[in-house]
Amino acid sequence: MTDYELTQRVIGCAMKVDTGLGPGLLESAYQECLCFELLRSGLYVEKQKPMPLIYSEVKLDCGYRVDIMVERRLILEIKSVEAINDIHLAQVLTYLRLANCRLALILNFNVLHLREGIRRVVNQYDDSASSANTSASSAVNPI
């Protein structure tokens, strides 16, 4: 399954949860229901996956946890906030680097229509087509 197919499947499951619950609940409620939908769709899901920190060749268990990891390669950060801001994006980029993953979705369920609360975050995004001097960076895109 390609990254595109995986993200579309996950977004479909998130839309089901959003339609069923609506805005205004705690993140934990959306997380549980989304995990249920993802599992029901046949995807491999890890909830509250521990994320160790490696600093100066030492592995530290600092208590970081990824909300949901799908198929061992897509990180889902669940939010129920007024707006996604820069600290949320920085947090997800850090998780991507720590997990050695490329792709994440921030899903903010506290919006009227979920499509307005989805942000795709890509680590090690190759934008060489747009800039000959830059080989790798990070990108954040609204879906």
Side-chain angles (χ1 to χ4, degrees), residues 101-118:
C101 287
R102 186 177 172 280
L103 185 61
L105 293 174
I106 302 174
L107 302 170
N108 182 16
F109 285 91
N110 196 31
V111 291
L112 288 178
H113 303 284
L114 183 61
R115 69 180 172 269
E116 299 164 2
I118 301 172

Side-chain angles (χ1 to χ4, degrees), residues 1 7-8 27 43 47 50 62 72 93 97 103 108 136:
M1 178 181 318
T7 56
Q8 290 307 305
E27 292 171 6
L43 294 170
K47 180 174 51 172
C62 294
R72 295 185 178 95
L93 281 169
R97 283 191 300 272
L103 185 61
N108 182 16

Side-chain angles (χ1 to χ4, degrees), residues 113-127:
H113 303 284
L114 183 61
R115 69 180 172 269
E116 299 164 2
I118 301 172
R119 296 292 179 269
R120 181 179 63 160
V121 183
V122 182
N123 189 34
Q124 298 301 316
Y125 177 74
D126 184 4
D127 62 353

Side-chain angles (χ1 to χ4, degrees), residues 1 3-4 18 20-21 36 41-42 64 71 76 78 81 86 93 95 124 128 130 135 138:
M1 178 181 318
D3 287 346
Y4 177 80
D18 182 59
L21 298 179
F36 172 79
S41 75
Y64 293 108
E71 295 290 316
L76 304 181
I78 309 302
V81 294
D86 290 345
L93 281 169
Y95 286 163
Q124 298 301 316
S128 58
S130 63
S135 62
S138 299

Side-chain angles (χ1 to χ4, degrees), residues 6-89:
L6 179 59
T7 56
Q8 290 307 305
R9 201 155 151 193
V10 167
I11 290 170
C13 290
M15 294 279 192
K16 280 185 183 178
V17 171
D18 182 59
T19 299
L21 298 179
L25 301 176
L26 295 175
E27 292 171 6
S28 58
Y30 298 110
Q31 181 178 311
E32 290 298 323
C33 293
L34 182 55
C35 283
F36 172 79
E37 286 296 336
L38 293 168
L39 287 167
R40 193 160 80 162
S41 75
L43 294 170
Y44 178 75
V45 175
E46 297 171 90
K47 180 174 51 172
Q48 291 296 309
K49 181 178 173 58
M51 188 61 49
L53 175 66
I54 298 175
Y55 176 76
S56 188
E57 300 177 14
V58 176
K59 183 178 177 181
L60 306 168
D61 294 319
C62 294
Y64 293 108
R65 294 187 180 276
V66 171
D67 287 344
I68 302 172
M69 176 83 77
V70 182
E71 295 290 316
R72 295 185 178 95
R73 63 186 169 123
L74 173 63
I75 292 175
L76 304 181
E77 182 64 24
I78 309 302
K79 297 292 181 193
S80 184
V81 294
E82 190 172 323
I84 296 170
N85 60 42
D86 290 345
I87 195 66
H88 299 130
L89 301 173

